[in-house]
Amino acid sequence: MGEYAALAGYPTIVAAVNERFTVSVMPIDMPVLDVYSGTFGACTIDLSTLSAPPAYQYTLSSFKQFLPKLQHQGFRIHFHSDVGIDKQLGLSAAITVALCSAFYHHIHGHLNLEDICALACQAVLSVSIHSSCADVIASTYGGILRYVMKTPDRPASIRRIWIDLPVFAVYSGYVTSESIVMHRGLMREKTYPLVYQKIHEEIGELSHTFFEEAKNDHPEVLGQLLLRGNTALRAYEIQTKETKEIMQRLQLLKTVYGAKISGAGLGGCVIGLGSVNPSDLNPYDVISLSVDDVGVRLDPRIHDTKNQNTGSCFGAV
C-alpha cells in the first residue's frame, strides 16, 4: 500500500513473502564476476571495465559498494530464485539485498542488517532513482512493515509486525519496467500537483490505518482497505486490461476479502487476501503466498568467518 505516495514522504506498507532469492559467492583467481542465473542466464563482468548487461545492473551496483575493500578480487556468483521471472514481487530488491549480505559477510564475517539495508538502498537508487526502497526494507527485515522514507528534514521510519495473513498474487502475464512506470506517474504529479497531493494524503492515511488494523488480525477489514487503495491508484492510469479483468473476477469471489494492483502497475501482479481456486482465474497464474517473518538470512551451513574461512557465503531473501 502506498507505492507512489511513498516518494512524497507518506507511509507505505510492504510485506516480505515466502518467495526466496538465494545467492552464493565464492572468490576466484580471475578479475571477473562469473555470474550464473537460471532466470537471467550466464554473464561475465570484467572488473577492469565494470560493464554489465541490463539484467545484471543490480548485481553490478551491489558489488560496487564493496569494491574498495575487495581489492578487485574476482568472484563466482550463483543465483537461484523461487520465482521463475520478475513478476513485480520485489525480485530486484531481493537480488540486491542478498548480494549485499553475501559480500558484507565475506568482508566482516557477520551480518548487520542496518548496514546491509543502507548499502542495498544505495545500490538500488544508483540504478533506479525513482524508488522508495520499500521492497529493500521488506527483503532485509521480513514481516509486515510501515515505512516512511528519509527526507532532508526527517530520518527514515520503520515499524515492523508479523501476522500470518492469507496472501495470494495473480500474475497478469507481463511486467512493465518499474522505472518507466514510476517516471510516467511522477510526470502526472508535476502536471497536477494539488490533485495528487490530495491522493497522497488519502493513500498515506490508508497505509497508516492498514498497519494499525493488521495488529488486530482482521483480514476482512484489511481486504476492504486494499480495495480502497486500488481505487486511489486509478488516478495514475496504471491498470491494464488484464489487471482490470483480474480485479473484477476477484471481487466476485466470496472467499476473497479484497485485492489491489501491486507495485508500480501496468502489468505485474494483483495481490489479494483470502483464498482462490486457480481454476477461477484461468488463464492467469495464481501464486499462493504467506508473510515471511525473516528477511535476509545465512544458509545454516555457513558459520562466522572471522576465524574460519569457508570459501563462500550465502544470503537469501
Side-chain angles (χ1 to χ4, degrees):
M1 183 89 75
E3 293 86 346
Y4 290 88
L7 292 173
Y10 289 88
T12 184
I13 304 300
V14 64
V17 294
N18 61 329
E19 298 281 351
R20 288 195 165 260
F21 183 90
T22 305
V23 58
S24 64
V25 301
M26 180 174 291
I28 57 176
D29 293 330
M30 294 181 290
V32 300
L33 296 181
D34 187 13
V35 190
Y36 176 76
S37 165
T39 302
F40 304 112
C43 174
T44 299
I45 301 172
D46 192 322
L47 298 190
S48 64
T49 61
L50 290 176
S51 178
Y56 286 101
Q57 290 303 304
Y58 289 98
T59 300
L60 187 57
S61 64
S62 300
F63 178 73
K64 284 181 177 179
Q65 307 290 312
F66 301 92
L67 193 57
K69 293 186 178 181
L70 293 172
Q71 299 178 340
H72 281 74
Q73 167 74 61
F75 287 88
R76 180 166 292 114
I77 303 174
H78 188 274
F79 294 150
H80 172 74
S81 175
D82 287 352
V83 184
I85 59 175
D86 188 356
K87 298 179 178 178
Q88 286 189 346
L89 290 175
L91 184 60
S92 296
I95 289 170
T96 307
V97 172
L99 279 165
C100 287
S101 301
F103 284 121
Y104 190 96
H105 186 271
H106 175 76
I107 293 170
H108 300 285
H110 66 279
L111 296 181
N112 180 305
L113 296 189
E114 186 175 353
D115 288 349
I116 289 165
C117 189
L119 288 162
C121 286
Q122 186 174 337
V124 166
L125 290 171
S126 71
V127 177
S128 176
I129 60 173
H130 302 308
S131 174
S132 69
C133 292
D135 46 4
V136 171
I137 306 301
S139 292
T140 304
Y141 294 106
I144 298 173
L145 302 109
R146 178 190 185 273
Y147 167 62
V148 181
M149 65 183 296
K150 179 182 177 181
T151 64
D153 57 349
R154 183 186 62 202
S157 170
I158 302 173
R159 294 169 59 192
R160 179 183 178 279
I161 59 172
W162 181 79
I163 56 172
D164 188 17
L165 288 176
V167 188
F168 64 86
V170 185
Y171 181 50
S172 66
Y174 62 93
V175 172
T176 302
S177 168
E178 187 173 27
S179 60
I180 293 174
V181 184
M182 292 299 289
H183 178 75
R184 180 176 174 270
L186 291 171
M187 290 301 99
R188 294 179 66 84
E189 291 180 17
K190 287 183 178 180
T191 305
Y192 307 102
L194 296 180
V195 172
Y196 283 93
Q197 176 62 29
K198 287 280 190 181
I199 296 170
H200 291 157
E201 292 174 0
E202 178 186 355
I203 293 176
E205 184 59 34
L206 285 173
S207 295
H208 175 75
T209 304
F210 188 100
F211 189 77
E212 295 304 313
E213 288 291 343
K215 300 174 185 177
N216 300 322
D217 196 12
H218 292 153
E220 65 280 3
V221 176
L222 300 180
Q224 290 304 306
L225 291 171
L226 289 182
L227 288 171
R228 289 172 60 188
N230 195 71
T231 300
L233 286 176
R234 289 178 182 172
Y236 288 95
E237 296 185 358
I238 58 173
Q239 192 163 248
T240 64
K241 175 175 67 71
E242 292 82 5
T243 55
K244 182 178 181 180
E245 180 186 352
I246 292 168
M247 283 293 302
Q248 290 173 339
R249 290 167 68 175
L250 288 174
Q251 287 179 272
L252 295 175
L253 299 176
K254 294 182 179 180
T255 56
V256 175
Y257 300 116
K260 71 180 290 289
I261 295 171
S262 176
L266 289 185
C269 286
V270 171
I271 57 166
L273 293 177
S275 61
V276 293
N277 188 323
S279 62
D280 292 331
L281 277 301
N282 282 332
Y284 301 106
D285 183 17
V286 177
I287 309 167
S288 296
L289 301 169
S290 63
V291 179
D292 199 324
D293 192 34
V294 179
V296 65
R297 68 185 183 198
L298 284 174
D299 185 286
R301 295 168 293 179
I302 303 303
H303 305 289
D304 192 321
T305 59
K306 286 181 178 178
N307 301 308
Q308 178 181 347
N309 182 12
T310 63
S312 62
C313 56
F314 296 74
V317 293

